[in-house]
Amino acid sequence: MAVCSPGDEVIIPAPYWVSYPEMARLADATPVILPTHISENFLMDPKILESTITEKSRLLILCSPSNPTGSVYPKNLLEEIAQIVAKHPRLLVLSDEMYEHIIYSPATHTNFASLPGMWERTLTVNGFSKAFAMTGWRLGYLAGPKHFIAACGKIQSQFTSGASSIS
Ligand SMILES: Cc1ncc(COP(=O)(O)O)c(C=O)c1O
């Protein structure tokens, strides 16, 4: 809601966590589903990403480790994706890293915002529900450039007001 205008496109690799397309619709944006295949471990093909991006593309949602596929994006693939994002100045990345700590060797987690040039373009979302089995606490967090976080804070303060005092 803080970054999308009506008509903006939100690119969502499938299979996806069920809430993403509805979140886009709640922001009056259009979900654009990008298929992935089991033969590629459900990882996005950068060429297909490139051909999916239009002038209206505003947000790419990445989820690694992924719910529901369990796939973990290797760093070199994220670097390829970052190079594509860098070519499209209006495109932001929402990197959902909720499952960061539920990962098995030899896979390793890469924070998308840590890649060259991506801090300014990335909103990292994370929380305590999965890694610490704290779902009921309703506590998550967002990291990114201050102007985006300030905009998100304005919206959230009218939606949920904030975390409960116990959390
Ligand atoms: C990929 C992903 N992101 C975010 C969430 C949100 O978790 P919560 O609402 O418990 O913070 C979930 C919950 O299932 C999830 O699977």
Side-chain angles (χ1 to χ4, degrees):
M1 283 180 169
V3 300
C4 290
S5 299
D8 279 348
E9 292 175 352
V10 177
I11 301 173
I12 303 168
Y16 46 77
W17 179 43
V18 67
S19 295
Y20 295 146
E22 305 311 325
M23 288 170 169
R25 289 189 184 103
L26 280 170
D28 284 331
T30 307
V32 175
I33 308 304
L34 189 157
T36 66
H37 304 284
I38 194 167
S39 55
E40 270 84 49
N41 287 328
F42 294 115
L43 297 172
M44 187 171 37
D45 179 340
K47 285 188 223 78
I48 296 181
L49 171 63
E50 193 137 37
S51 64
T52 304
I53 296 172
T54 71
E55 284 173 3
K56 292 182 179 170
S57 303
R58 178 59 169 160
L59 204 57
L60 165 66
I61 299 186
L62 291 179
C63 183
S64 177
S66 163
N67 174 14
T69 68
S71 300
V72 179
Y73 276 74
K75 189 174 185 187
N76 61 346
L77 182 52
L78 291 176
E79 284 167 344
E80 278 187 64
I81 293 168
Q83 282 170 14
I84 295 168
V85 171
K87 284 194 257 174
H88 299 274
R90 202 172 165 266
L91 182 64
L92 302 172
V93 174
L94 189 148
S95 186
D96 183 344
E97 303 183 11
M98 192 61 142
Y99 292 88
E100 173 180 5
H101 297 295
I102 303 183
I103 192 162
Y104 300 95
S105 175
T108 54
H109 176 71
T110 303
N111 171 233
F112 191 78
S114 71
L115 300 177
M118 288 300 111
W119 165 256
E120 288 300 325
R121 308 288 298 280
T122 306
L123 293 161
T124 304
V125 295
N126 209 322
F128 301 91
S129 294
K130 316 300 175 186
F132 305 103
M134 290 167 62
T135 303
W137 292 55
R138 310 311 309 135
L139 194 60
Y141 58 93
L142 176 68
K146 275 190 178 164
H147 50 281
F148 289 134
I149 303 301
C152 295
K154 276 186 192 168
I155 292 173
Q156 196 195 15
S157 67
Q158 305 301 336
F159 259 63
T160 66
S161 299
S164 73
S165 56
I166 293 170
S167 301

